[in-house]
Amino acid sequence: MRVGIHISISGGFTKAVKRLLELGCNSCQMFSRSPRGGKARDLKEDEVTTFRELCSINDINPVVVHIPYVLNLATPDPDMHRYAAQMVREDLERADALGAAYLVLHMGSHKGEGTEKGLRQVSGALTTALEGYCGNTVLLLENTSGAGSEVGYLFEHLAAVLQMLESDNAGICFDTCHGFAAGYDLSTYERVNGTVDKFDSIIGIDKLKLIHANDAMFPLGSAKDRHADIGAGHIGEEGFRAILNHTLLKDKPFILETPAAGDADWKRNIEALKALLEGNN
Ligand SMILES: [Zn+2]
C-alpha cells in the first residue's frame, strides 16, 4: 500500500524525509512554495539532489506537489488567469526538479461567469502552462466540493477539461471528502461501487492517479470542504474499508490531508488507513 501525508518542507527536505519514515509513509505531498502564493525561493541544486536520493533509497514514491490554494484557474479576470497559468508552469518545473510524479491543482471558481466558461478558462490556463513543457511531472485535476462558484465538483467537469486538454500530461486526483461533499456517496461498499462505476464511465479509471483520503465532517452533498479523521466522519469506517479494498482503487497511492496538530494525529490516521486494508499489506 502506498500511503503518505501532506508534509511541510519548511524545515528542509532531509528533516521531512526523516519524519515520513518515522510515520511509516512511502509517499508524500508538499507545497513547493508558500500555499498563500507569492514568489518562490529558488530550489538549490544540492538540496534537490539530496531529496531525490533520499526518496529513491527509502522507496518514497510517488512524490506529489500541490499548487498554492490562492490560484484561480477558472477566473474570468485576464490578469489573474495569466498569473495562474504562469504559476502552474513554474510549479511544474519545480515539481519536476524534485522528482515529483504529480502536480495537483484545484480548478478554482468561475465568479459568476458560469461553469462552462470556467472550465474553458481552466483548460486555457493549463494549455498555456503545458506549452513546450517536456518534464516528467503529470498535472492532476482535483475534484472540488462545489462550494460557491467552484468548478470541478462533477465528474463531467473533470472529463470536459481532460478532453479539452488532449494531453497525456494530465490525470485526476480524487479527494474522498470533496467527492462526498459534492454528492458522490462513499459510505458503504455498494455506494463506493456505484461512485467508482460512475467515475469509470464518465472519466475512465485509468485517468485516476491519486486519492486524497479524507473523511468528511459534513453530510453527503453538503458542498463543505471540511476534512475529518479517517473513520470519524460521514464516510466512516465502512466507507474507507470499501475504498481501500476496491479492486480498481487499492493500488492507487493514498495521501492523507486530515486535520493534524502534530505527528500523533498523522500517525493515528495512517494507522487507521492501514488497519482497514484487508490482508493488511
Ligand atoms: Zn485534497
Side-chain angles (χ1 to χ4, degrees):
M1 176 188 200
R2 291 275 148 195
V3 62
I5 60 166
H6 184 98
I7 195 158
S8 163
I9 53 164
S10 60
F13 288 107
T14 307
K15 193 177 156 202
V17 171
K18 191 165 169 262
R19 260 183 79 205
L20 288 170
L21 296 175
E22 279 166 6
L23 289 166
C25 293
N26 52 12
S27 179
C28 67
Q29 174 177 283
M30 61 185 66
F31 292 117
S32 89
R33 61 174 80 220
S34 162
R36 290 171 299 280
K39 191 165 164 30
R41 74 169 179 85
D42 287 339
L43 294 167
K44 293 189 209 97
E45 207 172 312
D46 60 334
E47 64 178 348
V48 167
T49 310
T50 306
F51 178 66
R52 292 177 72 126
E53 274 173 12
L54 285 173
C55 288
S56 158
I57 294 164
N58 295 295
D59 185 33
I60 296 175
N61 81 78
V63 169
V64 179
V65 172
H66 199 300
I67 64 161
Y69 293 127
V70 289
L71 296 186
N72 184 5
L73 296 158
T75 180
D77 180 297
D79 288 339
M80 278 174 69
H81 192 248
R82 208 171 305 121
Y83 176 74
Q86 194 189 327
M87 286 298 113
V88 171
R89 176 53 173 264
E90 259 186 52
D91 254 18
L92 259 178
E93 309 275 5
R94 289 167 76 82
D96 194 43
L98 289 166
Y102 305 119
L103 176 68
V104 173
L105 43 95
H106 293 176
M107 292 155 71
S109 306
H110 63 68
K111 304 282 179 193
E113 295 285 312
T115 302
E116 212 176 300
K117 169 96 189 283
L119 295 175
R120 276 204 306 275
Q121 290 295 89
V122 173
S123 106
L126 296 181
T127 303
T128 307
L130 284 168
E131 239 163 48
Y133 170 73
C134 48
N136 295 313
T137 304
V138 172
L139 282 179
L140 299 185
L141 309 170
E142 179 172 354
N143 62 314
T144 61
S145 59
S149 69
E150 263 179 357
V151 298
Y153 60 93
L154 290 181
F155 291 162
E156 284 82 355
H157 298 171
L158 302 164
V161 174
L162 287 182
Q163 204 176 1
M164 283 189 270
L165 273 178
E166 283 182 19
S167 169
D168 294 336
N169 262 94
I172 302 294
C173 165
F174 180 69
D175 187 305
T176 53
C177 169
H178 300 174
F180 190 78
Y184 294 107
D185 204 342
L186 296 162
S187 59
T188 67
Y189 272 88
E190 216 179 355
R191 289 167 187 175
V192 167
N193 283 340
T195 293
V196 173
D197 286 351
K198 225 178 256 174
F199 186 103
D200 194 28
S201 67
I202 298 169
I203 303 175
I205 204 75
D206 56 314
K207 290 287 178 193
L208 179 64
K209 306 296 182 194
L210 178 71
I211 295 171
H212 278 171
N214 303 306
D215 212 329
M217 205 174 276
F218 289 93
L220 182 69
S222 71
K224 287 197 172 89
D225 178 8
R226 293 289 300 279
H227 301 180
D229 283 353
I230 301 299
H234 288 266
I235 296 175
E237 273 193 18
E238 184 185 344
F240 275 99
R241 189 174 287 119
I243 293 165
L244 290 160
N245 295 291
H246 192 290
T247 339
L248 298 176
L249 306 182
K250 66 182 173 59
D251 296 326
K252 310 286 179 189
F254 291 87
I255 299 278
L256 287 157
E257 299 173 323
T258 42
D263 282 356
D265 295 324
W266 286 124
K267 216 172 178 89
R268 194 177 60 250
N269 279 288
I270 291 163
E271 277 162 14
L273 271 191
K274 289 184 178 177
L276 290 169
L277 187 74
E278 277 152 18
N280 207 1
N281 280 346

